[in-house]
Amino acid sequence: MTYKKYISKIKKNKIIIHLSQIAIFILFITIWQILANKNYINTFITSSPKNILITILNLYRQNNLLFHIWITIKEVLISFIITSFLSIFIATILYNYKILYKILDPYITLFNSLPKVALGPIIIIWIGANIKSIITISVLISIIVSIQTIYNGFENTDPLKIKLLKTFNANKKDILFNCVIPSNKSVILSTLKINISMCLIGVITGEFLTSKAGIGYLILYGSQVFNLNLVMSGIILLMIISYVMYNIILYISKR
Amino acid sequence: MNLIKILNLSKSYYSINEETKAINNITFDIDNNFTGIIGPSGCGKSSILNIISNQDKDYEGKIIKKENLKIGYMLQEDALFPWLNIYENSILGLKISKSLNDDNIKYVVHLLKKYGLYEFKDKYPNELSGGMKQRVALIRTLAIKPDILLLDEPFSALDYQTRLKVCDDVYKIIKEENKAVVIVTHDVSEAISFCDKVIVLTKRPASIKNIYNINYINKNTPTQNRKTIEFQKYFDLIWSDIEK
Ligand SMILES: Nc1ncnc2c1ncn2[C@@H]1O[C@H](COP(=O)(O)OP(=O)(O)O)[C@@H](O)[C@H]1O
Ligand SMILES: [Mg+2]
C-alpha cells in the first residue's frame, strides 16, 4: 500500500464516521417527528422535535431564555473555579503533610461514599434558599473525587526526580513547583475536564432542590405543571451547554 | 590533603519487622583524585554516597569534610525533566540552589558549547541519545561548581558500546574541569580503568575488604588504560580478591 493510498483511506474513514454520526441524528429526529405526526406516540408525554423547537423559541421571546441559561452557566463556572482551586490547594496540603492525610483518610472515604444530595436540605437551612446553596451542593459533589485524583497523581511523582532536586538542597516548595506540579500537569488538566461535567451535575441537582431560575428550574417547573415540551427543551439545552463547555475546556487544555 | 575522612561509619535501615544493617564500620579517606567504590549490588554503595552528600543524616560514625567543600551528586539515572529543554535542565541545579547569576549562566553556556550540546539547547531530553543525556546530567551537576563529584553507577543505564564511550567522555570532562570524584560501580574493569584508588566492599552489610592504589606508567583515558598490562594485573588481583 502506498503512502497516498494510506492517507486517502484514513480520510475516507473519517468522512464515513462523520456522515454516520450526522445520519443517526437526523434519523432519530425524523423518526421521532413522524411517529408524533402519525399519533403513534403521545406527544403529551414524549413531546416532539417540532414542539421542542417552538418551546425554545417561545422561551426566548417571552421568558428570558438567555437569562436562565446564563444563571446555570454562571453557577457552573463559579463552582468549577471554587472546586478546582480548592482541590488543588487541599491536595497540595495533604501531600505535604502526609500525617494529615493519614488521619483524615477514613473521613474522606466516608464523605466520598455519602450521596451529597442528601445534605441538600441541611445546606438550604443553613445557607438559605439561594444561589449560594446551589454552588455549595455542586462543590460538595465534585470536590472529593477531584482532591483524590490530584493527590494520587502527586503521590506517584517519580521519586528519582525528587531525589535529584534534593541533591541541590531543594526545600518542599522547590520540589512542589519544580517537579510535583509540572509532572502532574496532565493529571490536573484531566481533572479539570471531569470537574466541569461534575459541576454541571451538581448545579442541576442544586437547582432541583432550590431555585428561582436556571435550566434545572425550567425542567422542574415543566414537570410540576406537566408540560413535557418544557422538560424536553430543558434537557436539550443542557446537552448543548455541557457539550459546549466541555469543548471549551478541552480547547484551553490543549494549548 | 584529604577532602573527606570517613571514620567508623555504620548505617542501619529499620522497618517494623526488622533491622537491615547496610554499612558496617567503614573507614577510608577521599583524596583530591578519583576514588572508586565497588561491591556487589545491594551491598550499601548508594547508602554511602547518600550519607557523604548529606542526603541521609541518620548514621553512626564520623564524616569530616574539608571546610566549605562543595559536593555534586550525580544519580544512577540521568533524571532529566522531560518538560524542560536542555538549557533549562542544565541550569536546574543553579535555580534550585538559588545561585542563578550571570557568571554561573555563562559557565553553563561555556560547558554546553565545549561539550557539544549548545546546538541542542532548545531541544527536549527525549530528542537526545542516552550518552548526550548523561552529559547534560553531568553539566547540570558541574554547573554548581562542586569540588568533588559523587557518581552513582553513572553508566549502568547504557549499553556496552555507548558505555565505554560515555565513560571516556565523562572522564575527560571531569579531568578538564579539575574535579575530584567518587564513583560507585559494580563493574571491576570500569573502576580500575577510571580511578586512582579502588575500595572493594564485602556484600551487605558493607565493610572494607581491601583498598588498592592504581598506578599506570602512562595514565590515559579509561579505554586506553584498559589496553595496558597494569590493567590486566589489577584486574586479576581484585577479581581473585572478590572471588575469595
Ligand atoms: N530507604 C531504605 N529503606 C530500607 N532499606 C534500604 C533503603 N535503602 C536501601 N536499603 C537496603 O540497604 C541495602 C543497601 O542498599 P544500597 O545502598 O542501595 O545498595 P547498592 O547501592 O550497593 O546496590 C539494600 O539491601 C537495600 O535493600
Ligand atoms: Mg545503588
Side-chain angles (χ1 to χ4, degrees), chain B residues 71-86:
Chain B
I71 297 177
Y73 191 0
M74 205 167 128
L75 304 177
Q76 202 155 341
E77 284 164 60
D78 57 55
L80 298 180
F81 287 14
W83 59 87
L84 299 180
N85 66 29
I86 296 311

Side-chain angles (χ1 to χ4, degrees), chain A residues 163-164 166-167 174 178 182, chain B residues 50 55 83 95 98 140:
Chain A
K163 187 175 175 190
L164 176 90
K166 283 184 179 162
T167 67
D174 295 327
N178 288 286
Chain B
N50 285 339
Q55 301 294 304
W83 59 87
K95 194 174 146 202
K98 278 129 198 126
R140 179 180 60 193

Side-chain angles (χ1 to χ4, degrees), chain A:
Chain A
M1 192 163 45
T2 62
Y3 180 67
K4 220 171 156 187
K5 264 189 190 160
Y6 171 79
I7 291 292
S8 79
K9 196 178 157 199
I10 286 190
K11 271 189 188 153
K12 216 166 124 194
N13 247 335
K14 229 177 180 174
I15 293 172
I16 289 174
I17 289 170
H18 277 305
L19 285 181
S20 309
Q21 284 166 342
I22 295 169
I24 288 174
F25 179 76
I26 292 175
L27 205 66
F28 180 75
I29 299 288
T30 319
I31 291 175
W32 188 2
Q33 190 60 51
I34 289 172
L35 291 177
N37 286 348
K38 304 238 171 196
N39 279 328
Y40 289 134
I41 53 172
N42 183 353
T43 52
F44 185 64
I45 55 171
T46 62
S47 187
S48 73
K50 199 172 126 200
N51 288 352
I52 291 172
L53 215 60
I54 292 168
T55 312
I56 291 177
L57 279 177
N58 281 340
L59 280 172
Y60 176 68
R61 288 203 197 104
Q62 298 154 16
N63 291 54
N64 241 335
L65 174 65
L66 293 183
F67 175 69
H68 288 288
I69 293 176
W70 164 238
I71 289 290
T72 298
I73 290 181
K74 188 174 87 179
E75 288 162 349
V76 172
L77 287 182
I78 293 175
S79 46
F80 170 75
I81 290 168
I82 294 177
T83 302
S84 302
F85 272 101
L86 261 188
S87 56
I88 292 173
F89 181 69
I90 294 173
T92 307
I93 299 230
L94 293 178
Y95 174 75
N96 277 300
Y97 302 95
K98 301 261 155 62
I99 181 99
L100 201 60
Y101 179 80
K102 283 188 181 140
I103 293 170
L104 295 179
D105 189 34
Y107 298 104
I108 294 175
T109 313
L110 197 70
F111 189 70
N112 192 26
S113 56
L114 176 77
K116 260 64 74 180
V117 60
L119 297 175
I122 303 176
I123 288 163
I124 291 164
I125 290 168
W126 286 355
I127 299 179
N130 54 40
I131 187 169
K132 282 186 207 147
S133 283
I134 297 172
I135 288 167
T136 308
I137 291 166
S138 172
V139 170
L140 285 177
I141 284 179
S142 49
I143 198 163
I144 300 288
V145 174
S146 180
I147 292 173
Q148 279 181 330
T149 315
I150 296 173
Y151 178 84
N152 286 336
F154 282 4
E155 275 291 293
N156 285 324
T157 309
D158 181 5
L160 191 73
K161 295 202 175 74
I162 295 176
K163 187 175 175 190
L164 176 90
L165 290 185
K166 283 184 179 162
T167 67
F168 296 114
N169 295 322
N171 56 31
K172 276 187 174 179
K173 204 177 106 205
D174 295 327
I175 292 172
L176 187 71
F177 286 109
N178 288 286
C179 181
V180 176
I181 289 180
S183 57
N184 281 289
K185 198 176 145 209
S186 68
V187 171
I188 292 174
L189 285 177
S190 66
T191 311
L192 296 189
K193 272 185 261 170
I194 296 168
N195 281 354
I196 199 86
S197 309
M198 291 296 284
C199 283
L200 185 60
I201 294 173
V203 161
I204 299 304
T205 310
E207 285 184 349
F208 277 4
L209 291 172
T210 172
S211 62
K212 296 179 189 74
I215 305 297
Y217 167 81
L218 290 181
I219 294 173
L220 191 70
Y221 178 77
S223 79
Q224 278 163 356
V225 299
F226 230 87
N227 179 350
L228 267 294
N229 289 335
L230 185 54
V231 175
M232 289 291 190
S233 304
I235 292 169
I236 299 289
L237 287 170
L238 269 186
M239 281 172 148
I240 297 170
I241 290 174
S242 112
Y243 184 80
V244 170
M245 285 206 290
Y246 183 82
N247 278 289
I248 290 175
I249 290 287
L250 201 67
Y251 177 76
I252 293 172
S253 71
K254 268 187 188 152
R255 303 195 335 143

